[in-house]
């Protein structure tokens, strides 16, 4: 029997090898070589990008709508002679103070900041495409609840849940786009996606004003929920799309060929009852040890894995420098969006400061974001080139914005400020490209989540109150605006440091065995073809 073992092993290994080759060849035609989307799927990369862009537009439309006069409204006012003007919108119906109204507008941040790392971590054990479906479902229900809210606390809780739903999309959409985009257009595709932020805000302002004035602020939320519902449903009915760097959603199916091959080896090497008895004894012994550690492993392992991933992420110097620059940048942009109209009205006596600042931000935000992505792709999208573009555009854009606030003339201010915003918005594609490519694929969702959390916690969330506090002491909006704008220069300096860091694009770092071969077997078409014909199942599933 001992003499037969080498022959058996050789026979088994060759059988297993031929089996794996057969499985690989049977599955490869289904997959595209340059994308994780199956070639037989109705969902092409461009359609996936279009779907994510529409979802992002609806997300930011909601943010713009709740800030619009038609939805947010105003408090009721009573004059000294007893004449009272009834309130309008949310603030008027619920009689909210300015503080409560301010809390309401940023309540979604609570859910977003808490849930983003959680969704990013869950992507390691749950198919990321399904997680987006869960998040959009929570978003839809929460937005619907906003329309049915009856007081401050009810709508505040719903707004927090809106942030929870949005967290899954923010953490996972960009990695999917990065996987699907052509190699020469990755930053451009990211720029198209992030262009939806200013565009969504702009549409939201108009949408909220029209719906709120003609119907009711409640209808604005209900219509949003209806618009998002089909995408939430698609997240569950479509065959899940696999994300590069992650194990399949159903490990049992993905491991099926290995299990079958292993089983074949056992059968060939077995010798009747002796082998059966050996397997049974080994199974009994292993099951006892497994049962002891099962509960402890379930609790400890996820937490340990999360800490390990966080440590690896925070030790990546390219990521840390990129996010530090992004925080400083977002500190200024956040204050611009909140205090810009008031500063413009105070410095230049603009009667339509809202329209002026809003129009400049929308137009320059869209054009600048698109331009930044296409320029980086033209330069050759490397991490070093991304940092060059980030530092240069922020430095020059910050200088134009700084010079704009030095102008005494309103038209000179508007011209320089528009050029400055066009340049600073060019960072959106490159900064997120760095976040995605400076870490290995399995860390990309966590990278996007931590980046989002950091720029909000340390950037735009504290910037508005701090700038307001500065203005209370200085009492000069021009000086306050100049001090705020000068923070662009430290952001540019941080990104300039990134040029000299040892940076490696780690997009393909995971080995072919760990990523591509597993995902090719496990990934199935997203939608069945309209003709009703189903693609032939891989041979590995028939074994």
């Amino acid at each position: 029997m001992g003499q037969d073992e080498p022959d058996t092993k050789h026979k088994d290994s060759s059988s297993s090898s031929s089996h794996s080759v057969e499985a690989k060849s049977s599955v490869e035609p289904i997959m595209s070589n340059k994308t994780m989307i199956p070639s037989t799927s109705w969902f092409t990369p461009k359609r996936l990008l279009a779907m994510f862009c529409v979802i992002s537009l609806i997300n930011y439309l909601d943010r713009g709508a709740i800030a619009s006069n038609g939805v947010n409204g105003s408090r009721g006012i009573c004059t000294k002679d007893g004449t009272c003007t009834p309130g309008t919108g949310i603030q008027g119906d619920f009689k909210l103070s300015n503080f409560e109204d301010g809390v309401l507008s940023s309540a979604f941040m609570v859910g977003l900041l808490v849930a983003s790392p959680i969704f990013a971590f869950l992507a390691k054990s749950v198919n990321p495409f399904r997680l987006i479906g869960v998040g959009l479902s929570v978003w839809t229900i929460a937005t619907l609840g906003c329309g049915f809210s009856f007081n401050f606390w009810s709508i505040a809780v719903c707004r927090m849940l809106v942030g929870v739903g949005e967290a899954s999309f923010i953490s996972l959409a960009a990695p999917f786009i990065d996987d699907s985009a052509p190699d020469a257009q990755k930053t451009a595709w990211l720029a198209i996606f992030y262009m939806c932020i200013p565009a969504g805000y702009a549409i939201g302002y108009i949408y909220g004003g029209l719906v709120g004035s003609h119907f009711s602020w409640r209808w604005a939320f209900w219509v949003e929920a209806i618009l998002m519902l089909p995408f939430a449903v698609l997240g569950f009915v479509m065959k899940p799309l696999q994300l590069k760097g992650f194990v399949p959603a159903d490990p049992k199916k993905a491991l099926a060929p290995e299990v079958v091959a292993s089983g074949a080896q056992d059968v060939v090497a077995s010798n009747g009852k002796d082998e059966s008895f050996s397997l049974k004894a080994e199974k009994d012994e292993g099951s006892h040890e497994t049962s002891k550690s099962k509960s402890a492993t379930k609790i400890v392992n996820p937490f340990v894995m999360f800490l390990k991933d966080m440590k690896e992420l925070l030790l990546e110097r390219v990521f840390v420098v990129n996010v530090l620059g992004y925080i400083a940048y977002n500190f200024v942009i956040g204050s611009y969006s909140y205090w810009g109209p008031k500063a413009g009205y105070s410095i230049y006596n603009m009667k339509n400061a809202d329209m002026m600042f809003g129009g400049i931000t929308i137009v320059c935000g869209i054009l600048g974001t698109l331009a930044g992505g296409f320029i980086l792709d033209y330069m050759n999208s490397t991490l070093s080139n991304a940092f060059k573009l980030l530092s240069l555009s922020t430095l020059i854009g910050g200088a134009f914005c700084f010079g704009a606030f030095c102008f005494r003339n309103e038209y000179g201010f508007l011209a320089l400020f528009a050029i400055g915003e066009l340049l600073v918005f060019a960072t959106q594609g490159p900064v997120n490209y760095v976040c995605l490519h400076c870490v290995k694929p399995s860390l990309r969702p966590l990278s996007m989540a931590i980046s989002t959390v950091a720029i909000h916690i340390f950037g735009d969330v504290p910037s508005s109150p701090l700038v307001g506090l500065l203005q209370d002491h200085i009492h000069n909006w021009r000086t306050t605006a100049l001090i705020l704008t000068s923070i662009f220069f430290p952001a540019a300096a941080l990104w300039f440091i990134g040029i000299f860091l040892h940076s490696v694009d780690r997009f393909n770092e995971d080995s072919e065995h760990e990523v591509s071969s597993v995902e090719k077997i496990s990934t199935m078409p997203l939608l069945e073809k309209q003709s009703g014909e189903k693609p032939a199942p891989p041979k590995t599933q028939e074994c």
Side-chain angles (χ1 to χ4, degrees):
M1 181 174 178
Q3 295 175 351
D4 294 338
E5 285 180 359
D7 294 336
T8 303
K9 288 180 181 179
H10 176 74
K11 191 180 297 183
D12 292 342
S13 61
S14 61
S15 175
S16 176
S17 175
S18 62
H19 180 88
S20 61
V21 171
E22 182 183 3
K24 185 175 181 180
S25 62
S26 66
V27 177
E28 278 183 345
I30 299 179
M31 299 294 296
S32 170
N33 291 329
K34 294 186 178 181
T35 176
M36 299 305 297
I37 298 179
S39 59
T40 57
S41 172
W42 175 86
F43 241 87
T44 63
K46 289 184 178 179
R47 287 172 179 168
L48 182 71
L49 175 64
M51 185 186 80
F52 282 159
C53 284
V54 173
I55 294 172
S56 184
L57 278 172
I58 298 173
N59 267 324
Y60 287 97
L61 177 146
D62 173 71
R63 294 196 198 177
I66 198 171
S68 66
N69 288 329
V71 173
N72 184 262
S74 59
R75 299 174 63 189
I77 301 174
C78 292
T79 61
K80 293 181 179 179
D81 60 2
T83 304
C84 293
T85 303
T88 60
I90 297 173
Q91 192 174 19
D93 284 4
F94 296 155
K95 298 178 181 179
L96 304 181
S97 65
N98 287 328
F99 173 76
E100 290 174 323
D101 190 38
V103 170
L104 196 62
S105 65
S106 58
F108 80 96
M109 284 284 186
V110 177
L112 180 68
L113 300 182
V114 171
S116 290
I118 296 175
F119 275 111
F121 177 72
L122 286 176
K124 285 184 172 289
S125 55
V126 181
N127 186 280
F129 206 77
R130 288 288 186 254
L131 288 176
I132 291 178
V134 172
L136 295 183
S137 299
V138 173
W139 193 97
T140 303
I141 295 171
T143 307
L144 195 67
C146 289
F148 287 107
S149 57
F150 51 88
N151 60 16
F152 167 73
W153 285 108
S154 62
I155 194 170
V157 170
C158 287
R159 294 307 299 173
M160 292 179 192
L161 290 175
V162 166
V164 171
E166 189 176 332
S168 67
F169 182 71
I170 286 178
S171 303
L172 301 170
F176 272 118
I177 293 173
D178 193 44
D179 281 350
S180 305
D183 291 339
Q185 298 177 356
K186 285 186 178 293
T187 320
W189 280 41
L190 288 173
I192 292 171
F193 175 68
Y194 285 102
M195 174 204 69
C196 297
I197 296 177
Y201 265 114
I203 297 171
Y205 288 139
I206 299 170
Y207 163 80
L210 290 175
V211 175
S213 59
H214 288 82
F215 301 97
S216 165
W217 62 267
R218 297 181 185 274
W219 276 101
F221 294 115
W222 292 337
V223 172
E224 288 172 12
I226 293 172
L227 292 174
M228 188 65 83
L229 182 60
F231 299 104
V233 173
L234 282 175
F236 293 101
V237 300
M238 292 190 307
K239 296 291 180 70
L241 179 65
Q242 192 60 39
L243 189 62
K244 181 179 175 66
F246 289 88
V247 295
D250 189 353
K252 291 181 181 179
K253 289 183 180 179
L255 295 175
E258 296 179 15
V259 173
V260 173
S262 176
Q265 291 177 0
D266 291 340
V267 171
V268 174
S270 66
N271 187 20
K273 295 180 181 180
D274 292 340
E275 181 65 21
S276 300
F277 180 79
S278 175
L279 286 173
K280 184 177 180 181
E282 187 176 353
K283 181 179 179 181
D284 292 340
E285 184 180 351
S287 62
H288 179 69
E289 294 179 1
T290 302
S291 61
K292 284 185 176 181
S293 59
K294 187 176 181 181
S295 58
T297 302
K298 283 185 176 180
I299 297 173
V300 176
N301 277 356
F303 184 69
V304 172
M305 287 172 62
F306 178 76
L307 291 180
K308 181 182 177 182
D309 288 345
M310 280 295 298
K311 181 181 178 181
E312 183 177 352
L313 185 65
L314 296 179
L315 287 177
E316 178 56 61
R317 291 182 297 171
V318 174
F319 173 79
V320 172
V321 168
N322 185 54
V323 172
L324 287 175
Y326 202 8
I327 289 170
Y329 165 89
N330 218 50
F331 189 96
V332 183
I333 294 296
S335 284
Y336 272 0
S337 64
Y338 190 80
W339 293 114
K342 185 168 287 188
Y345 178 81
S346 175
I347 299 171
Y348 299 103
N349 295 318
M350 292 182 188
K351 295 181 180 179
N352 54 348
D354 287 338
M355 294 295 294
M356 286 289 187
F357 273 84
I360 290 174
T361 301
I362 292 163
V363 174
C364 295
I366 293 173
L367 295 178
T369 303
L370 288 175
F374 283 99
I375 289 172
L376 181 57
D377 284 333
Y378 179 78
M379 292 170 61
N380 185 13
S381 51
T382 63
L383 296 179
S384 179
N385 283 342
F387 278 121
K388 291 175 184 176
L389 183 58
L390 286 170
S391 59
L392 188 62
S393 63
T394 305
L395 177 65
I396 300 175
F400 270 98
C401 290
F402 191 90
F405 283 108
C406 293
F407 254 77
R408 301 290 176 180
N409 181 273
E410 177 183 341
Y411 296 105
F413 162 78
L414 291 175
L416 289 181
F417 190 73
I419 297 172
E421 285 221 317
L422 189 69
L423 288 166
V424 297
F425 271 110
T427 61
Q428 291 299 309
V431 73
N432 287 287
Y433 177 87
V434 174
C435 280
L436 289 168
H437 284 252
C438 71
V439 297
K440 64 183 183 182
S442 59
L443 286 180
R444 288 182 302 169
L446 186 62
S447 172
M448 296 304 297
I450 297 303
S451 173
T452 301
V453 169
I455 65 173
H456 288 314
I457 289 181
F458 303 109
D460 55 4
V461 170
S463 68
S464 295
L466 288 176
V467 170
L469 185 65
L470 178 64
Q471 172 61 19
D472 288 340
H473 284 79
I474 295 177
H475 300 291
N476 186 318
W477 271 113
R478 189 186 300 276
T479 304
T480 299
L482 289 171
I483 294 173
L484 172 66
T485 304
S486 65
I487 299 176
F488 273 136
F489 304 128
L494 284 165
W495 281 328
F496 183 73
I497 293 172
I499 299 173
F500 304 99
L501 293 177
H502 177 67
S503 57
V504 178
D505 192 324
R506 303 175 68 183
F507 180 75
N508 293 313
E509 181 170 302
D510 290 324
S511 71
E512 184 72 15
H513 173 73
E514 292 175 334
V515 182
S516 300
S517 62
V518 172
E519 288 174 348
K520 285 177 182 177
I521 294 173
S522 65
T523 305
M524 297 297 292
L526 296 177
L527 291 174
E528 302 295 349
K529 290 191 174 182
Q530 298 297 327
S531 62
E533 296 180 1
K534 299 181 180 180
K539 293 182 180 180
T540 52
Q541 295 180 354
E542 296 174 358
C543 297

